[in-house]
Amino acid sequence: MIVVTGATGHIGNVLVRLLLTLNQKVRALVLPGEDLTALRELDVEIVTGDICRPESLMPAFKGADMVYHLAGIISIIPGRERILQEVNVQGTRNVIDACLKNNVRRLVYTSSIHALKEPPHGTAISESQPFDPSSVLGHYAKSKAQASLEALSAAARGLDTVIVCPSGVIGPYDFKGSEMGYLIQAFVRRKLPAGVNGAYDFIDVRDVAAGMVAAGEKGISGEVYILSGEQITIRQLFKSLELISGIKPPRLMVPCWLAKAAGVIITPFLLRLKKKPLLTPYSIDVLQSNSQIDSKKTRKALGFSARPLIESLRDTVLWFKLKTQPMSNSS
């Protein structure tokens, strides 16, 4: 039995789909009352639980051979430090304890490329960089770095633990609407007034899931594996989306300093209106950060590979299009 926490999330539901094609028995841990659209019609055992409630994890992990821990909070919005600590850090401690108490053979923890200490521009990010909560960018990255240290500590204590660090994730089956999914939809709907100068590394969610399975099968306990794809500028990203959709990108490309200043003012206003900001000061910082990534270790050790980014973007645009099309009344 394989348990997946965060199974309704973008990576989580794609991982579940892949595991099922590999004829694995999968148990999905979901929050009470959570929307299960992402798991609809999948042959998976649904168990209700909460990584912040340790007692709820015991029945969920009972009899599990392997646990893929993905449940967590991803946030580019300021003011969420407390919940990031409660879910990403303490929640991971709870998962580790539940694995130890249930004699789970292996834990695969999904961290983030942001959890690794970022080297200066010109030096590629690799697994040789440490998890250092004091030197990463933003509270989300800090919480993931702390949780990653907890996972390494668990490996040292005897729990067979492997850590994977994906870069920016895009792709289909984005039921909840990730940050990049939201941006791609805004582009296709012509609701993106301007672009921002900057770059990032993106990887297809299906390749992340495949890399996680490979880490579960071939990874060495206590080791970290980066799952990265292709570095691209935002201008190049828009050009690719134009080729796919036929929609012209925004003519205006805003300097990062100006976008960040605007974000400081606009983000709190949008949050009060309960609207999701496309860009925040944190996301601008990310686009300016070092996104040169070295994944040679993972490719060699796990046989990992990533598809071309243009294919991922095409499939994402198509998936959102099909998802939003109204059902036909004809029979």
Side-chain angles (χ1 to χ4, degrees):
M1 174 64 71
I2 295 177
V3 175
V4 178
T5 75
T8 62
H10 193 194
I11 301 176
N13 89 84
V14 174
L15 174 63
V16 168
R17 293 168 192 275
L18 177 57
L19 291 170
L20 292 176
T21 66
L22 298 174
N23 298 316
Q24 298 287 352
K25 292 182 179 180
V26 180
R27 181 182 295 156
L29 180 71
V30 302
L31 289 168
E34 189 169 6
D35 183 356
L36 302 182
T37 301
L39 303 177
R40 186 180 296 163
E41 299 180 359
L42 298 182
D43 185 16
V44 58
E45 179 186 351
I46 303 293
V47 177
T48 300
D50 185 344
I51 63 172
C52 293
R53 293 175 55 241
E55 68 279 4
S56 72
L57 299 180
M58 297 305 291
F61 287 14
K62 185 177 180 180
D65 176 63
M66 187 181 304
V67 171
Y68 287 92
H69 175 36
L70 297 98
I73 299 292
I74 301 173
S75 179
I76 64 171
I77 298 171
R80 306 198 73 190
E81 295 86 351
R82 181 176 177 179
I83 192 170
L84 287 169
Q85 285 292 312
E86 290 176 353
V87 178
N88 293 353
V89 183
Q90 185 58 51
T92 298
R93 292 191 189 112
N94 296 338
V95 167
I96 290 168
D97 289 343
C99 285
L100 289 168
K101 290 175 181 176
N102 282 279
N103 297 313
V104 172
R105 179 179 62 85
R106 165 160 280 195
L107 170 66
V108 179
Y109 172 61
T110 305
S111 182
S112 167
I113 196 71
H114 295 295
L116 294 165
K117 183 177 181 179
E118 182 185 320
H121 283 271
T123 301
I125 302 170
S126 72
E127 294 88 351
S128 63
Q129 267 77 45
F131 294 114
D132 184 356
S134 66
S135 63
V136 294
L137 182 65
H139 294 287
Y140 166 69
K142 179 179 180 180
S143 71
K144 295 299 283 187
Q146 290 174 313
S148 299
L149 291 175
E150 295 288 341
L152 289 178
S153 175
R157 286 156 47 200
L159 176 61
D160 190 328
T161 305
V162 177
I163 301 174
V164 295
C165 293
S167 58
V169 179
I170 63 170
Y173 305 104
D174 190 359
F175 289 93
K176 292 186 176 181
S178 64
E179 306 297 341
M180 280 305 299
Y182 188 51
L183 184 143
I184 290 170
Q185 289 185 84
F187 181 99
V188 173
R189 294 172 181 172
R190 296 182 172 88
K191 293 185 177 180
L192 202 60
V196 178
N197 294 315
Y200 199 57
D201 184 290
F202 296 103
I203 180 171
D204 193 292
V205 64
R206 294 163 293 185
D207 296 327
V208 173
M212 293 178 66
V213 170
E217 293 175 348
K218 305 174 185 177
I220 298 173
S221 182
E223 290 291 319
V224 180
Y225 300 95
I226 287 176
L227 305 175
S228 65
E230 182 179 336
Q231 186 187 44
I232 188 173
T233 67
I234 298 302
R235 193 182 296 273
Q236 291 168 334
L237 177 69
F238 286 172
K239 282 294 183 184
S240 295
L241 288 172
E242 180 184 9
L243 286 173
I244 293 165
S245 66
I247 295 170
K248 292 289 184 182
R251 291 184 178 181
L252 179 63
M253 295 297 290
V254 180
C256 282
W257 67 267
L258 181 57
K260 186 173 181 179
V264 170
I265 299 170
I266 295 172
T267 297
F269 176 73
L270 290 174
L271 292 176
R272 282 196 294 270
L273 295 177
K274 296 184 178 181
K275 292 185 177 181
K276 189 174 184 178
L278 273 172
L279 292 172
T280 66
Y282 173 74
S283 63
I284 298 299
D285 286 339
V286 168
L287 293 176
Q288 290 181 293
S289 67
N290 183 2
S291 57
Q292 182 184 350
I293 302 174
D294 178 3
S295 60
K296 288 196 295 289
K297 171 185 172 180
T298 305
R299 293 172 188 272
K300 182 177 180 180
L302 305 183
F304 170 76
S305 63
R307 72 197 70 199
L309 185 58
I310 188 71
E311 180 182 332
S312 304
L313 291 169
R314 183 182 297 113
D315 290 351
T316 304
V317 170
L318 178 60
W319 186 83
F320 277 121
K321 182 179 180 180
L322 293 174
K323 179 175 178 288
T324 55
Q325 280 182 348
M327 296 294 290
S328 172
N329 290 325
S330 60
S331 57

